[in-house]
Protein backbone atom coordinates (compact mmCIF):
# COMPACT_ATOMS: atom_id res chain seq x y z
CA UNK A 1 0.00 0.00 0.00
CA UNK A 2 1.57 3.33 -1.01
CA UNK A 3 1.65 6.44 1.14
CA UNK A 4 -0.72 8.26 -1.20
CA UNK A 5 -3.38 5.55 -0.76
CA UNK A 6 -3.20 6.06 3.02
CA UNK A 7 -4.00 9.73 2.58
CA UNK A 8 -0.54 10.84 3.75
CA UNK A 9 1.56 13.39 1.95
CA UNK A 10 4.90 11.96 3.05
CA UNK A 11 7.32 11.04 0.28
CA UNK A 12 8.02 7.35 -0.14
CA UNK A 13 11.51 5.92 0.29
CA UNK A 14 11.87 5.77 -3.50
CA UNK A 15 10.87 9.43 -3.79
CA UNK A 16 13.43 10.40 -1.11
CA UNK A 17 16.15 8.50 -2.95
CA UNK A 18 15.16 10.22 -6.20
CA UNK A 19 15.43 13.62 -4.48
CA UNK A 20 18.86 12.68 -3.14
CA UNK A 21 19.99 11.50 -6.58
CA UNK A 22 18.89 14.88 -7.96
CA UNK A 23 21.42 16.68 -5.78
CA UNK A 24 24.64 17.96 -7.30
CA UNK A 25 27.79 15.85 -7.00
CA UNK A 26 29.28 18.38 -4.57
CA UNK A 27 26.31 18.02 -2.26
CA UNK A 28 26.47 14.23 -2.44
CA UNK A 29 30.16 14.32 -1.49
CA UNK A 30 29.32 16.36 1.62
CA UNK A 31 26.62 13.97 2.88
CA UNK A 32 25.65 10.35 2.55
CA UNK A 33 22.02 9.53 1.84
CA UNK A 34 21.44 8.71 5.51
CA UNK A 35 22.97 12.00 6.66
CA UNK A 36 20.87 13.88 4.11
CA UNK A 37 17.63 12.22 5.32
CA UNK A 38 18.59 12.90 8.95
CA UNK A 39 19.19 16.59 8.16
CA UNK A 40 15.86 16.82 6.30
CA UNK A 41 14.06 15.24 9.28
CA UNK A 42 15.79 17.58 11.76
CA UNK A 43 14.88 20.62 9.64
CA UNK A 44 11.23 19.57 9.53
CA UNK A 45 11.24 18.88 13.27
CA UNK A 46 12.79 22.28 13.94
CA UNK A 47 10.14 23.96 11.79
CA UNK A 48 7.06 22.13 12.98
CA UNK A 49 7.47 21.24 16.66
CA UNK A 50 7.30 24.78 18.07
CA UNK A 51 4.12 25.35 16.06
CA UNK A 52 2.61 22.04 17.24
CA UNK A 53 3.42 22.86 20.86
CA UNK A 54 1.86 26.32 20.51
CA UNK A 55 -1.31 24.85 18.99
CA UNK A 56 -1.57 22.18 21.69
CA UNK A 57 -1.31 24.78 24.45
CA UNK A 58 -3.84 27.05 22.71
CA UNK A 59 -6.39 24.29 22.19
CA UNK A 60 -6.12 22.53 25.54
CA UNK A 61 -5.43 25.26 28.04
CA UNK A 62 -4.94 28.90 28.86
CA UNK A 63 -1.16 28.82 28.73
CA UNK A 64 1.38 29.94 26.22
CA UNK A 65 4.92 28.54 26.44
CA UNK A 66 6.10 31.33 28.71
CA UNK A 67 3.30 30.84 31.25
CA UNK A 68 3.63 27.06 31.09
CA UNK A 69 7.39 27.28 31.71
CA UNK A 70 6.86 29.80 34.52
CA UNK A 71 4.35 27.56 36.30
CA UNK A 72 6.54 24.50 35.79
CA UNK A 73 9.60 26.25 37.20
CA UNK A 74 7.72 27.68 40.17
CA UNK A 75 6.20 24.26 40.93
CA UNK A 76 9.73 22.98 41.54
CA UNK A 77 10.24 25.52 44.35
CA UNK A 78 8.01 23.80 46.92
CA UNK A 79 10.10 23.31 50.01
CA UNK A 80 7.84 22.87 53.03
CA UNK A 81 5.98 19.62 52.46
CA UNK A 82 3.04 21.09 54.41
CA UNK A 83 -0.11 20.65 52.31
CA UNK A 84 -1.67 24.02 53.27
CA UNK A 85 1.52 25.94 52.42
CA UNK A 86 1.96 23.96 49.19
CA UNK A 87 -1.64 24.76 48.19
CA UNK A 88 -1.04 28.45 48.86
CA UNK A 89 2.17 28.30 46.86
CA UNK A 90 0.32 26.54 43.98
CA UNK A 91 -2.21 29.39 43.96
CA UNK A 92 0.53 32.02 43.83
CA UNK A 93 2.40 30.09 41.12
CA UNK A 94 -0.75 29.84 39.00
CA UNK A 95 -1.53 33.53 39.58
CA UNK A 96 1.93 34.53 38.35
CA UNK A 97 1.87 32.13 35.40
CA UNK A 98 -1.68 33.10 34.40
CA UNK A 99 -0.73 36.77 34.16
CA UNK A 100 1.51 36.01 31.16
CA UNK A 101 -0.92 33.37 29.85
CA UNK A 102 -3.65 33.66 27.21
CA UNK A 103 -6.02 36.03 29.08
CA UNK A 104 -3.61 37.60 31.58
CA UNK A 105 -2.69 41.23 32.03
CA UNK A 106 0.77 40.55 30.60
CA UNK A 107 -0.43 38.25 27.79
CA UNK A 108 1.33 40.31 25.08
CA UNK A 109 4.60 39.95 26.99
CA UNK A 110 4.06 36.22 27.42
CA UNK A 111 3.16 35.76 23.75
CA UNK A 112 6.25 37.68 22.63
CA UNK A 113 8.46 35.72 25.06
CA UNK A 114 6.95 32.48 23.73
CA UNK A 115 7.36 33.37 20.07
CA UNK A 116 10.59 35.36 20.03
CA UNK A 117 12.29 33.74 23.01
CA UNK A 118 11.32 30.13 23.56
CA UNK A 119 10.46 29.24 19.94
CA UNK A 120 13.65 30.86 18.63
CA UNK A 121 15.67 28.98 21.25
CA UNK A 122 14.08 25.72 20.11
CA UNK A 123 14.94 26.57 16.50
CA UNK A 124 18.55 27.48 17.25
CA UNK A 125 17.92 31.25 17.05
CA UNK A 126 15.87 31.22 13.84
CA UNK A 127 12.33 32.54 13.45
CA UNK A 128 9.51 30.57 11.78
CA UNK A 129 10.80 31.50 8.32
CA UNK A 130 14.31 30.21 9.08
CA UNK A 131 15.89 33.66 9.40
CA UNK A 132 18.04 34.90 12.28
CA UNK A 133 17.34 38.61 11.92
CA UNK A 134 13.72 39.12 10.94
CA UNK A 135 13.41 42.34 8.90
CA UNK A 136 17.18 42.91 9.05
CA UNK A 137 17.91 39.35 7.90
CA UNK A 138 19.61 40.49 4.69
CA UNK A 139 22.34 41.90 6.92
CA UNK A 140 22.33 39.64 9.95
CA UNK A 141 21.96 36.15 8.45
CA UNK A 142 25.26 36.22 6.50
CA UNK A 143 27.08 37.53 9.60
CA UNK A 144 25.64 34.74 11.76
CA UNK A 145 26.50 32.05 9.20
CA UNK A 146 30.08 33.35 8.87
CA UNK A 147 30.46 33.43 12.65
CA UNK A 148 29.16 29.85 12.90
CA UNK A 149 31.69 28.72 10.27
CA UNK A 150 34.52 30.47 12.11
CA UNK A 151 33.42 28.91 15.39
CA UNK A 152 33.40 25.44 13.86
CA UNK A 153 36.89 26.06 12.46
CA UNK A 154 38.16 27.14 15.87
CA UNK A 155 36.52 24.17 17.55
CA UNK A 156 38.09 21.78 15.03
CA UNK A 157 41.53 23.35 15.53
CA UNK A 158 41.23 23.22 19.31
CA UNK A 159 40.03 19.63 19.11
CA UNK A 160 42.99 18.53 17.02
CA UNK A 161 45.41 20.48 19.24
CA UNK A 162 43.82 18.88 22.30
CA UNK A 163 44.13 15.45 20.69
CA UNK A 164 47.82 16.03 20.04
CA UNK A 165 48.40 17.08 23.66
CA UNK A 166 46.47 14.05 24.91
CA UNK A 167 48.39 11.70 22.62
CA UNK A 168 51.66 13.20 23.84
CA UNK A 169 50.64 12.78 27.47
CA UNK A 170 49.62 9.17 26.86
CA UNK A 171 52.97 8.48 25.24
CA UNK A 172 54.85 10.09 28.12
CA UNK A 173 52.72 8.16 30.63
CA UNK A 174 53.47 4.82 29.02
CA UNK A 175 57.18 5.72 28.88
CA UNK A 176 57.25 6.61 32.58
CA UNK A 177 55.25 3.54 33.64
CA UNK A 178 57.55 1.35 31.53
CA UNK A 179 60.55 2.86 33.29
CA UNK A 180 59.22 1.73 36.67
CA UNK A 181 58.16 -1.74 35.60
CA UNK A 182 54.51 -0.89 34.96
CA UNK A 183 54.68 -1.77 31.25
CA UNK A 184 53.08 -4.75 29.51
CA UNK A 185 53.77 -8.06 31.14
CA UNK A 186 54.09 -11.05 28.89
Amino acid sequence: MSDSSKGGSHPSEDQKKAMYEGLSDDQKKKQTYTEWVKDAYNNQYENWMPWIEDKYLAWFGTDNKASYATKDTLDKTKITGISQVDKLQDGVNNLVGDQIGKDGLLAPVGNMASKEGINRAERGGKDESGSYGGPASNYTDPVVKNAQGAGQGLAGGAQSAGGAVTDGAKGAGSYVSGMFGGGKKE
Side-chain angles (χ1 to χ4, degrees):
M1 182 182 279
S2 72
D3 285 333
S4 59
S5 65
K6 295 178 192 173
S9 62
H10 302 290
S12 69
E13 193 63 31
D14 291 336
Q15 290 170 327
K16 290 178 195 172
K17 286 182 182 178
M19 283 189 268
Y20 179 74
E21 292 303 321
L23 297 176
S24 69
D25 289 337
D26 288 343
Q27 289 174 315
K28 288 181 191 174
K29 288 178 185 174
K30 290 179 186 175
Q31 292 181 310
T32 65
Y33 173 72
T34 305
E35 292 168 335
W36 178 78
V37 169
K38 183 179 175 185
D39 279 352
Y41 171 82
N42 288 336
N43 286 336
Q44 279 304 102
Y45 185 88
E46 184 178 276
N47 290 334
W48 283 94
M49 280 314 291
W51 179 82
I52 290 170
E53 292 165 351
D54 289 339
K55 288 298 171 193
Y56 179 86
L57 289 171
W59 290 339
F60 298 109
T62 60
D63 290 328
N64 53 32
K65 285 184 182 175
S67 64
Y68 182 81
T70 300
K71 290 177 185 179
D72 186 53
T73 302
L74 290 173
D75 280 343
K76 296 175 184 172
T77 63
K78 293 181 186 173
I79 55 173
T80 64
I82 302 168
S83 64
Q84 293 89 348
V85 175
D86 288 345
K87 187 171 182 172
L88 176 66
Q89 194 171 4
D90 284 340
V92 171
N93 295 350
N94 286 332
L95 175 67
V96 171
D98 287 343
Q99 292 310 304
I100 57 175
K102 196 188 291 186
D103 297 323
L105 286 173
L106 298 173
V109 173
N111 292 336
M112 187 202 59
S114 294
K115 183 177 180 182
E116 295 298 324
I118 297 170
N119 283 355
R120 276 188 182 257
E122 291 174 339
R123 290 184 174 120
K126 296 181 235 172
D127 63 11
E128 61 270 1
S129 66
S131 168
Y132 289 100
S137 63
N138 290 339
Y139 304 105
T140 58
D141 286 356
V143 172
V144 169
K145 288 180 180 159
N146 290 338
Q148 286 175 337
Q152 289 171 349
L154 284 172
Q159 195 173 30
S160 58
V165 169
T166 303
D167 292 344
K170 286 178 186 173
S174 64
Y175 175 75
V176 170
S177 67
M179 228 169 52
F180 295 110
K184 290 185 181 175
K185 307 225 187 244
E186 303 201 22

